[in-house]
Amino acid sequence: MLTSVKDCQGSQGLQLVNDKIQEMARLFRRKPIRETRTPAPAITSAEYEIPWRPVIWSNSTRESMLRGLKRFHLRTPDVSCLKIMLHGPIGAGKSSFINSVNTTLQGRITTLALAEASAGTSFTTKLKIHKLKTGEPGCFYPFVFTDIMGLEPGQGHGVHTDDIFRVLRGEVKNGYTFNPVCPIAEANQHFKPDPSLKDQVHCLVSVLPADKISLISEDVFQKMKHVHKMAHDLGIPEVIIMSMVDKACPLVNDNLRKIYISRNIREKIEECSKKSGVPVDYIYPVKNYSEEVNTNIDKDILILKAIDNIVRLASYYVEHQDYLHQ
């Protein structure tokens, strides 16, 4: 307790009071104690804090989407099966994507379309329609994939864009052999005059490799833009499958579930959109099956999200066209 002034005698007492006053002043001047906080986990520059596309990575998510595709059916009497056409530069993974979709739907590793081991020239030379089994004998999903020759730079190389236009319109039959120099003639046995809605392509899927987008020649992208315009003029919806995401981003290669927090993948999608003309929300990054012997939930979820949206877009197109022609 501080000594009062009246208890102090002479100069000694005054000095004691003065010392006590200075002590109290020092107490009031004392700095407040700073609150210590535990630092938040470091977020690397390669990651976003929040995924830019929300995904629930679980087996129930996969099973729910599988059930939805198995229950899907068309409501247009004249079209019983959707036609989904794949195109893009050679070596982009078109055939691998078909195999990956079939693997995901079957629940086991399958090989429906032969995929090229190297990308020197187009491995696919004929128009090939691939049906997908539901698992029950003699039953197939109500959508098919149309695989065609790949795009290459320069005239006289790769699929002719006039042939792509004919395929989009449904004027080319299954089994046609592509000629890079000359498009199909009306006298060809594989030419189909006066195609109906069921013969036409109902969704155009462009496949581009994430790790090589910046390396694809401007000539190939110009051809893709030409095809994009043809599909747009016909009213056909278009999406892009961006394959090989693991090769484009070490973060995703280590953990596929980080695909939608990866800045690198987001930048690749934006670059892909800018060069192709397809909006960002119609671009789906996936990792195809290649060397695996077992299926993987994370791969399946990305593939199923892509094919589910493709099927729905194709279905909307068919219903709209059917309505217009009533």
Side-chain angles (χ1 to χ4, degrees), residues 21-286:
I21 291 174
Q22 290 183 12
E23 180 183 350
M24 290 190 67
R26 284 196 300 272
L27 289 174
F28 282 110
R29 288 197 303 268
R30 185 173 295 172
K31 294 182 180 179
I33 300 174
R34 292 183 179 179
E35 182 181 355
T36 59
R37 297 180 180 179
T38 303
I43 303 295
T44 67
S45 59
E47 301 178 35
Y48 290 103
E49 293 187 33
I50 301 174
W52 39 276
R53 281 184 189 170
V55 177
I56 299 176
W57 304 96
S58 68
N59 188 58
S60 60
T61 299
R62 176 174 63 176
E63 294 303 315
S64 176
M65 289 190 289
L66 280 171
R67 285 194 300 270
L69 286 170
K70 286 182 178 179
R71 294 172 181 171
F72 172 79
H73 66 277
L74 288 162
R75 293 174 288 183
T76 48
D78 296 331
V79 180
S80 59
C81 188
L82 297 172
K83 284 192 173 182
I84 302 164
M85 190 187 89
L86 276 69
H87 93 119
I90 58 172
K94 299 183 294 297
S95 298
S96 294
F97 179 68
I98 294 173
N99 290 333
S100 296
V101 171
N102 194 51
T103 290
T104 300
L105 295 177
Q106 303 302 322
R108 56 185 175 83
I109 303 298
T110 63
T111 303
L112 188 64
L114 294 177
E116 62 265 38
S118 61
T121 57
S122 181
F123 187 80
T124 303
T125 57
K126 292 186 176 183
L127 187 149
K128 176 67 175 178
I129 294 177
H130 298 279
K131 295 181 178 181
L132 308 174
K133 294 181 179 179
T134 61
E136 300 178 9
C139 295
F140 298 88
Y141 283 92
F143 53 88
V144 297
F145 287 116
T146 300
D147 197 10
I148 67 171
M149 192 179 202
L151 290 167
E152 296 182 43
Q155 297 298 319
H157 299 281
V159 63
H160 201 291
T161 54
D162 287 351
D163 271 342
I164 297 180
F165 180 67
R166 295 287 196 181
V167 175
L168 290 172
R169 286 173 52 87
E171 295 175 340
V172 184
K173 298 178 183 178
N174 190 29
Y176 167 69
T177 300
F178 293 99
N179 185 340
V181 178
C182 181
I184 189 171
E186 294 186 6
N188 191 295
Q189 62 175 339
H190 288 95
F191 181 81
K192 184 178 181 62
D194 302 320
S196 63
L197 180 59
K198 67 181 180 64
D199 302 309
Q200 299 170 15
V201 168
H202 307 127
C203 186
L204 173 65
V205 177
S206 305
V207 182
L208 288 171
D211 62 325
K212 294 184 178 69
I213 291 176
S214 58
L215 302 177
I216 297 173
S217 71
E218 184 61 27
D219 190 24
V220 169
F221 269 116
Q222 287 302 319
K223 290 182 179 181
M224 290 188 71
K225 286 183 178 180
H226 183 48
V227 175
H228 171 71
K229 184 179 185 305
M230 290 189 293
H232 182 268
D233 291 343
L234 293 170
I236 298 172
E238 180 183 5
V239 305
I240 288 180
I241 294 297
M242 197 173 77
S243 62
M244 305 182 189
V245 291
D246 54 314
K247 295 181 179 179
C249 178
L251 184 72
V252 174
N253 183 50
D254 293 338
N255 186 354
L256 192 57
R257 295 190 178 190
K258 290 192 173 185
I259 193 165
Y260 287 130
I261 64 171
S262 167
R263 292 182 183 273
N264 194 358
I265 295 300
R266 176 70 185 189
E267 289 170 1
K268 292 290 184 182
I269 287 179
E270 290 173 351
E271 181 184 6
C272 185
S273 174
K274 182 179 180 180
K275 290 190 173 184
S276 67
V278 176
V280 166
D281 51 341
Y282 286 88
I283 300 177
Y284 303 98
V286 302

